[in-house]
Amino acid sequence: MQQLPVDETIRAALKKTHARLHRQHELVVEFGVMSLKAADLDLLLTRACEVVAEGMSTRFSKVLQPAEDGEGFVLTHGVGWDASDIGRATVGGDVASPAGYALATYRPVLSNHLGMENRFRTPELLKKYGIERAINVPIRGVLSPFGVLEADSSNGDDFVESDLVFLEGISNVISMAVERISAGVDVPVPDPYSETILNASPDWVDILAPSGEIEFMNEAGLTFLNTQLTSVKGQRWYDLWPEESRSLVWEAVAKVSAGETMRFESYCPIAPDEPKWWDVTVAPIIATDGQVERIIAVSRDITERHHYEAQLLSLIEAQNSRQNRSDLYLEEIHHRVKNSLHLVNTLLLLQANLTPDAAVKLQLETAAGRVVTIASVHERLYQAAEDQEVRARDYLSALLGDLGKALADRQILLEADDFVLPPERMAPLGLVISELITNALKYGKGSIDVIVKHAGDHAQLTVRDEGDGFPDHYPKPTGTGLGMRLVKSYSGYGSAAVVVDRQDSKSCIHVRFKL
């Protein structure tokens, strides 16, 4: 049996999250390098908003700075907002405002349900743009808080904790750039491996000797491990990892020392009671002579994602177990229905053989034939239901093969367009075709042609045989008329569905069938 579609949906979501985290890391580093060249603070802040919007997959991002009159904040830079709002729109600066709270407490704020927030009021500016989610981090200034960096969204996925890490990384780069530009310090040729750049990263970054000894660890890494640089400098990076992870770490150092780049995920707790999972990229730093001079190792905390994946995989496993049990029950039900229908067919034929009345016998045989038809349609229906898309030609070809074996020794030929059949219309189409073929077998002669043409929102069904044509009163019933009532009902168009082609030299009937 196929797994539920939700499996692939979840895997796609996890892959998307993984790619997003990786791209956010790249953006922080790229923005950090760019900030060292920047001399125009306005351009830098606008670029920061562009980077945040890309990294958070949202249209809206902005920098808020305290208004000159001390009343709230002004939207000084941003993307996604009307040009008339840049430099003019304001939001509240008190702690009942998300931005005001972030700056007053120097703590980030994440809200995925602004309309239902009890902590804060939703600023009018955000209401104007239909903003539903917001995430704010403070930006440090030289002598006082500089402002707030904010990402906003009116649709899409919720913001998560890892998004806060990304936003704080951009905020830290802005703070350093503000300090540098304010002091008039110019750095014309930035070194991407400088301590300033590495300390701007929210990830754990190590610079290693080619043999694997630690030469430098950034502030984020020292904070994660709750240690000082003097305590880890000269220590083997390998020794920081638990026993079960060391073979992978040793392999990474060996490969990178030879000039390769390696990426892996591994477990490394930062305290006995605080397990952590890391996404680690290890790459060589090449000297001018082409030799590996040093190694850079960047470790991103993915503990939250790892727990989330484990929970999802556990749910998938439980769901698949339930689905497998349900599939077994459903298959058993299908077999019982099929057996029951064939039993009814046998009873009707026995009754037909016992009755002396020819008219009653004919009706019982007709009913028995319809039961066989329903059994065949049902069997094909549940076999095809395993597929998300059913091709009309494949379904009808198999069904007509069954009917030919069960109902007649005459040849039944199929000509059908290859289109996708909506699952809910499979059984009605099978029953309509079966009823038309049954009529051809009863009243016509020779081979039977079944033609199915796709016509947009409907299919045009044609059944022809080598008979002499229909009588003038057809399709008015000569018997109970049940067969033609079924055709009209299942077609979806009622009486307007059926047309007898009297121009054809053979017996020919057309039915319009709604898809």
Side-chain angles (χ1 to χ4, degrees):
M1 292 291 178
Q2 288 187 339
Q3 289 184 322
L4 292 177
V6 71
D7 291 14
E8 293 304 322
T9 301
I10 291 173
R11 289 191 178 93
L14 293 175
K15 185 177 180 180
K16 179 181 177 183
T17 300
H18 194 77
R20 175 167 167 160
L21 289 171
H22 184 63
R23 181 55 181 151
Q24 286 178 350
H25 168 70
E26 291 177 335
L27 287 170
V28 170
V29 175
E30 290 170 4
F31 182 67
V33 173
M34 175 263 182
S35 72
L36 290 177
K37 305 176 186 178
D40 188 322
L41 186 57
D42 288 326
L43 292 178
L44 179 72
L45 294 176
T46 299
R47 178 56 188 155
C49 294
E50 294 169 350
V51 169
V52 167
E54 179 182 349
M56 306 284 275
S57 300
T58 184
R59 175 186 168 193
F60 301 95
S61 176
K62 61 179 179 288
V63 171
L64 298 168
Q65 292 181 257
E68 292 182 1
D69 60 5
E71 296 293 329
F73 295 99
V74 178
L75 195 169
T76 58
H77 304 79
V79 293
W81 315 93
D82 291 342
S84 59
D85 285 326
I86 305 294
R88 296 182 182 86
T90 60
V91 300
D94 59 317
V95 292
S97 163
Y101 180 87
L103 204 59
T105 61
Y106 248 66
R107 293 173 58 189
V109 174
L110 188 158
S111 176
N112 284 312
H113 307 283
L114 284 173
M116 296 183 286
E117 271 285 3
N118 295 321
R119 297 178 298 169
F120 313 111
R121 64 175 181 274
T122 303
E124 292 300 321
L125 175 66
L126 301 191
K127 291 180 181 178
K128 173 184 173 181
Y129 288 87
I131 300 299
E132 298 175 358
R133 286 169 285 282
I135 184 168
N136 304 263
V137 297
I139 304 172
R140 299 190 314 273
V142 179
L143 298 176
S144 60
F146 180 80
V148 174
L149 180 62
E150 181 172 331
D152 304 290
S153 175
S154 58
N155 51 40
D157 299 330
D158 285 356
F159 294 137
V160 295
E161 293 297 326
S162 58
D163 292 328
L164 275 177
V165 175
F166 166 64
L167 214 61
E168 287 176 329
I170 300 297
S171 171
N172 289 337
V173 173
I174 293 174
S175 297
M176 289 188 292
V178 168
E179 183 176 356
R180 178 180 62 78
I181 293 173
S182 299
V185 177
D186 186 24
V187 184
V189 183
D191 176 8
Y193 303 109
S194 69
E195 293 187 12
T196 302
I197 290 296
L198 298 179
N199 281 327
S201 174
D203 299 322
W204 167 14
V205 182
D206 295 289
I207 299 296
L208 314 175
S211 55
E213 289 83 11
I214 297 171
E215 294 185 357
F216 172 80
M217 183 183 294
N218 73 338
E219 292 178 358
L222 296 172
T223 301
F224 278 130
L225 300 181
N226 192 24
T227 188
Q228 301 292 322
L229 182 58
T230 53
S231 301
V232 295
K233 192 170 183 178
Q235 183 178 352
R236 291 189 305 174
W237 185 54
Y238 167 95
D239 291 329
L240 297 181
W241 296 80
E243 189 66 35
E244 60 265 34
S245 302
R246 288 182 180 176
S247 61
L248 193 59
V249 174
W250 184 256
E251 178 188 358
V253 172
K255 284 188 174 183
V256 176
S257 296
E260 299 181 43
T261 296
M262 185 171 174
R263 184 176 181 182
F264 62 90
E265 291 185 7
S266 191
Y267 169 76
C268 182
I270 60 176
D273 58 345
E274 193 169 358
K276 287 285 184 182
W277 281 86
W278 305 89
D279 181 342
V280 186
T281 300
V282 192
I285 300 175
I286 307 298
T288 55
D289 60 0
Q291 299 300 311
V292 177
E293 182 181 45
R294 289 178 294 173
I295 294 173
I296 182 169
V298 181
S299 306
R300 165 157 288 191
D301 182 1
I302 57 167
T303 306
E304 180 186 5
R305 194 199 82 199
H306 191 270
H307 289 165
Y308 179 54
E309 289 177 353
Q311 290 171 358
L312 287 177
L313 291 174
S314 177
L315 288 173
I316 290 173
E317 185 178 350
Q319 189 175 38
N320 284 338
S321 296
R322 290 194 297 270
Q323 177 68 14
N324 289 336
R325 290 196 298 271
S326 298
D327 288 340
L328 290 174
Y329 296 150
L330 187 59
E331 187 173 354
E332 178 63 23
I333 290 170
H334 284 315
H335 282 302
R336 291 188 181 186
V337 170
K338 176 184 175 183
N339 292 339
S340 297
L341 288 171
H342 281 291
L343 176 60
V344 172
N345 168 258
T346 301
L347 293 174
L348 287 171
L349 290 176
L350 286 173
Q351 190 63 39
N353 291 331
L354 292 174
T355 182
D357 190 317
V360 172
K361 181 176 182 179
L362 177 61
Q363 295 301 325
L364 288 172
E365 289 175 343
T366 300
R370 287 200 177 104
V371 169
V372 170
T373 298
I374 291 171
S376 182
V377 169
H378 173 79
E379 183 174 10
R380 289 296 168 188
L381 181 62
Y382 85 76
Q383 288 175 350
E386 295 180 5
D387 300 325
Q388 292 300 305
E389 292 186 346
V390 180
R391 314 303 301 187
R393 186 163 60 195
D394 296 340
Y395 172 63
L396 291 174
S397 179
L399 177 62
L400 297 191
D402 293 343
L403 293 177
K405 294 175 185 176
L407 300 180
D409 54 4
R410 285 160 57 187
Q411 188 177 31
I412 303 175
L413 304 174
L414 174 67
E415 178 187 336
D417 289 344
D418 190 22
F419 60 93
V420 174
L421 185 66
E424 67 273 13
R425 296 296 285 161
M426 284 193 296
L429 178 62
L431 291 170
V432 168
I433 292 286
S434 300
E435 188 61 40
L436 295 175
I437 290 174
T438 300
N439 281 345
L441 292 172
K442 286 170 60 178
Y443 304 117
K445 61 184 179 180
S447 63
I448 301 171
D449 295 320
V450 179
I451 303 168
V452 180
K453 296 293 183 182
H454 186 252
D457 63 346
H458 70 280
Q460 187 70 28
L461 316 180
T462 300
V463 175
R464 303 170 72 242
D465 64 65
E466 298 176 15
D468 299 327
F470 291 98
D472 293 341
H473 60 77
Y474 194 85
K476 292 182 180 179
T478 55
T480 63
L482 175 61
M484 194 49 60
R485 289 202 303 272
L486 289 174
V487 170
K488 293 175 181 178
S489 175
Y490 285 129
S491 73
Y493 292 104
S495 298
V498 182
V499 175
V500 174
D501 188 349
R502 302 193 184 281
Q503 303 299 318
D504 199 298
S505 59
K506 300 180 180 180
S507 298
C508 181
I509 187 168
H510 304 290
V511 175
R512 192 160 64 120
F513 182 84
K514 183 178 291 186
L515 297 180

